Every structure is written in structure tokens, then in C-alpha cells.
Amino acid sequence: MEKKVEITCISCPMGCDVELEIDDNNQIECMEGNNCKAGEKYVRNEYYNPTRILPTTARVKNGVLPLVPVKSKDPLPKEILEEAMTEIAKVELEAPIKLGDIVIENILDTGVNIVTTREILKKKQ
């Protein structure tokens, strides 16, 4: 029994709605609606291995701000994003913090680092 899946391609500003026909072995049998090769590549990757950049915040101790924005340096598998958020929530960084500091190295054994996306100065005592 075939199933149909629709994915909106975001590889370019066109935003094509691509329809996939999936066979009983969970393989793409037919793809319609993409207007370019980049769209085909994006949709295949999104169907078989969806990933996302994870932006969030981490707590800061003794900083002028209580939180620092952080993100995954590379995309993470979509199915582990909640678990990654739980790991990041356990972290409390000590100010001063520099842009690009590694917050968590190799989060959840993915090979991806969580890094800061701004600097935070130390609070004056």
C-alpha cells in the first residue's frame, strides 16, 4: 500500500510543495513538484534524515545577563532535539563568555558542538 507525503522545499525562495509516493519498504517511488535538482536533494534528505540547527539559551552565572544564546554548530537529527535541549538546560556557564565558546562538545555523541552566539561580560561587583 503506497502512502503520499508532502514536503515543502526550503532550499530556495520558491518554496515548492513536493509530493512523494512512498512504497511498502519506505522508499521514495515518485517525486513531483520540485522545480530543481537542489529541491530534489533537499526533499530526499528531509524525508530520510531530517535535521535542524538547534537555537536556545544557556544559563549564565555572574554575568550582566542571566542567559546567553547558544546553537548547534551543525544540524542535529530532528528526533534528538528534545533530548539535546534537556542536556543544554543542565549547563550553567561562568561569565565572561566569548562568542563561539563551546558549551557542550559532541552533544549526545553526534559530533556536533553547542556554541555561544554572543559574548556576555562579567557583572561588576
Side-chain angles (χ1 to χ4, degrees), residues 56-60 65-70 93 97-98 103 116-120:
T56 188
T57 56
R59 290 182 312 227
V60 176
L65 296 173
L67 299 171
V68 62
V70 300
L93 303 171
I97 296 165
K98 294 181 191 137
V103 177
T116 58
T117 60
R118 75 164 288 176
E119 68 176 37
I120 301 289

Side-chain angles (χ1 to χ4, degrees), residues 3-125:
K3 71 176 181 175
K4 292 188 185 261
V5 174
E6 192 170 296
I7 295 176
T8 301
C9 177
I10 59 170
S11 67
C12 80
M14 288 182 66
C16 297
D17 289 324
V18 181
E19 189 171 284
L20 307 175
E21 289 182 14
I22 308 301
D23 68 18
D24 293 338
N25 295 319
N26 203 32
Q27 299 300 307
I28 297 172
E29 196 169 86
C30 180
M31 182 184 306
E32 294 179 347
N34 59 300
N35 289 312
C36 65
K37 287 285 186 192
E40 180 179 340
K41 181 180 176 186
Y42 172 82
V43 170
R44 283 187 186 283
N45 192 53
E46 181 65 14
Y47 181 74
Y48 289 117
N49 183 31
T51 59
R52 300 289 184 273
I53 294 288
L54 176 60
T56 188
T57 56
R59 290 182 312 227
V60 176
K61 185 177 177 184
N62 298 318
V64 294
L65 296 173
L67 299 171
V68 62
V70 300
K71 71 172 188 130
S72 58
K73 187 147 175 77
D74 298 302
L76 291 166
K78 196 173 172 183
E79 70 268 6
I80 69 161
L81 293 180
E82 275 190 50
E83 190 177 355
M85 290 285 289
T86 300
E87 291 303 305
I88 295 166
K90 295 175 185 176
V91 172
E92 184 173 45
L93 303 171
E94 179 78 35
I97 296 165
K98 294 181 191 137
L99 173 69
D101 280 353
I102 295 175
V103 177
I104 300 175
E105 191 170 340
N106 188 25
I107 191 163
L108 301 172
D109 295 321
T110 59
V112 176
N113 294 337
I114 304 298
V115 296
T116 58
T117 60
R118 75 164 288 176
E119 68 176 37
I120 301 289
L121 298 174
K122 189 169 184 150
K123 190 184 332 180
K124 293 185 181 180
Q125 302 293 326

